[in-house]
Amino acid sequence: MLGKGGKRKFDEHEDGLEGKVVSPTDGPSKVSYTLQRQTIFNISLMKLYNHRPLTEPSLQKTVLINNMLRRIQEELKQEGSLRPMFVAASQPADPLSDNFREAQPAFSHLASPPLLPADFVSTMPLESCLTPASLLEDDTFCTSPAVQHEGPTKPPPPALQPVKDSFSSALDEIEELCPAPTSAEAVAAESAADDSKAQPGESNIHKPEGIPESRTAESKLMEPLPGNFEITASTGFLTDLTLDDILFADIDTSMYDFDPCTSATGAASKMAPVSADELLKTLAPYSSQPVTPNQPFKMDLTELDHIMEVLVGS
Amino acid sequence: FLGAGGGNDIQWCFSQVKGAVDDDVAEADIISTVEFNHSGELLATGDKGGRVVIFQQEQENKTQSHSRGEYNVYSTFQSHEPEFDYLKSLEIEEKINKIRWLPQKNAAQFLLSTNDKTIKLWKISERDKRPEGYNLKEEDGRYRDPTTVTTLRVPVFRPMDLMVEASPRRIFANAHTYHINSISINSDYETYLSADDLRINLWHLEITDRSFNIVDIKPANMEELTEVITAAEFHPNSCSTFVYSSSKGTIRLCDMRASALCDRHSKLFEEPEDPSNRSFFSEIISSISDVKFSHSGRYMMTRDYLSVKIWDLNMENRPVETYQVHEYLRSKLCSLYENDCIFDKFECCWNGSDRQVEFSSLRTSDIPKIIVMTGSYNNFFRMFDRNTKRDITLEASRENNKPRTVLKPRKVCASGKRKKDEISVDSLDFNKKILHTAWHPKENIIAVATTNNLYIFQDKMN
């Protein structure tokens, strides 16, 4: 791509994009702005999903690319160019919407990341004493009392917590089974923390009433999808790899081989479409409560189904 | 002399180059860190293969003052080995991310070296004498039959060829879930910090089985993660103060006396974004790749993708100076994003002079020369003089090989007609990047690392 000191020719395409800084408000250059945005969006997706490292990918790079994608998605949403994802095949071929459709499933749940309430407090009185670093090891759910957040604060949808917690306690059980590299205190601290976290979740399983069952998938995409954070942990590129590997190692992995993030073979491996029911059955043993296939949960899995189909196609 | 007295710019000359000559770079030979020790006599480099190579400066012949002593290999050792994390099914690279020297307390030298997960304290000691004339042992080590010993003698030390031994004295492991990007030794010389993407830990140099977490920015839900720690450093004089920089272009100064967990900063340094420069890549190019306190501790310098900024610790809302390193790349950000160059982590460093200034009595005509240096592409590196506001671009290449020949300044032509001797942006080699540079603490000697070679430049002495 880049010569060693030789003349490097830019693509004309890129030249047009890179010429100057364009703002979305310029008339004729709005098209090139959109084009540039689209290109960057595609590049970002490729970077995240085609990376096949032997070593862990750089967290900083992943975070920056992720932020880029979120920003573009926010922009697209605000511009109202959001197209329904599951519309019938009669949809006109539109490069913009196609690409957006591709990307949508992976990031819809990131549209407005809600802040978890600060009452998920760890049992350690962090303010008053130094925390040994050993207690932080492999502790995905370790919380710190003051977490910096630059973005706008949004009230967390209550539905987020129930599914997350049943799942999270399942993950914690699995985590406990794994040898902790440091002290046994780490495990004890975690289970203590988990007990306190499981409480608020168990009381509220059902989705808030504001979201009727009959909603179309389209309007659903505008809201943060409850439970998607953990269900789509396999497509969530920021999830701790440790837990993903632990979780999926114990179950039939043929369903999850499509996942580019956790699978060592990368995005090009075999893509097995998963039906929502199969997924549901697999997850059932890992939840500490009976997983009643409540409507929103099932809808999410249907979307997961579509996500996978789209990823197969991409 | 350091050029105090104002006016004269330093004239840099090629001195030495270390490393393989071939264009084919072996991955393990890629230099990943460069650091002078506190006296400047030793220069350490770490590479991607986990090795540390230490060069020592020859003691100069005082009568022959036309050049300073050369740096020759003093010790080479394998600091880190590749490991495998079975839990995550991923390799842990042996690449040395940072080396930091401890100040010398006795005959031996100590340094900290770190890869992504483990920090090690190495002792480098010399052996140039050995005892001879044992009563119970032969010279080759075999034991003598005690009944054959008829006289006693006192063993004496006899000189031997110098042997430099490196031995790991402490291994600080298992405290970082994420990749370590910085280590910094406290001014108390007893503790040090190590920073990874989300956490900063405090260690005592003597204690390896425990470290304390002093910063934790990991969100409860990893999917909410939008910012990571990119660098951290202790204040050179205040042992309770440190700073850490982030991928969003902010620097936080923390005081460890305020609370055990320094999640609330004492100061937040952030420059508001220039709206005319806003682009898709604004956040990425604002990510700070290095932060360094000035020797006096009054200022700090940060490096982001396109610029170097000098901050006064008393002013949080903007830097006191900003220097453009390669502004001509601003219109190329999309390509640089595509080929990942936009994620390159350039370091920066101060010259050594301002520390000397503090301790010597100043004549009124003396203006301390404060220069900052950082790398760029095409094996170019840049220096900015804070007093004269002049800058210079130089190139580290074997073509400028003659010692005591002053390096020719380089210029990149951003657009339009390219003048003679200028290089156009499109001709730059983005595979030749200078990420690591170091400045001798006392003299005008600099070490500049290209991909797999180490260049040493000195100022022209008259």
Side-chain angles (χ1 to χ4, degrees), chain A residues 59-76:
Chain A
L59 186 63
Q60 181 197 358
K61 197 165 135 184
T62 308
V63 165
L64 289 171
I65 298 171
N66 188 19
N67 291 353
M68 173 81 87
L69 286 162
R70 279 183 192 169
R71 239 178 291 125
I72 293 179
Q73 196 200 13
E74 269 306 311
E75 241 181 57
L76 289 169

Side-chain angles (χ1 to χ4, degrees), chain A residues 18 47 61 70-71 131 133, chain B residues 211 213 223 283 287 335 340:
Chain A
E18 307 233 62
K47 278 188 188 305
K61 197 165 135 184
R70 279 183 192 169
R71 239 178 291 125
T131 309
Chain B
S211 79
N213 178 243
E223 302 219 356
E283 187 194 12
S287 176
S335 310
D340 275 354

Side-chain angles (χ1 to χ4, degrees), chain A residues 83-94 97-98 101:
Chain A
R83 306 274 187 125
M85 192 176 94
F86 306 115
V87 166
S90 56
Q91 187 182 12
D94 179 339
S97 74
D98 276 351
R101 182 156 51 120

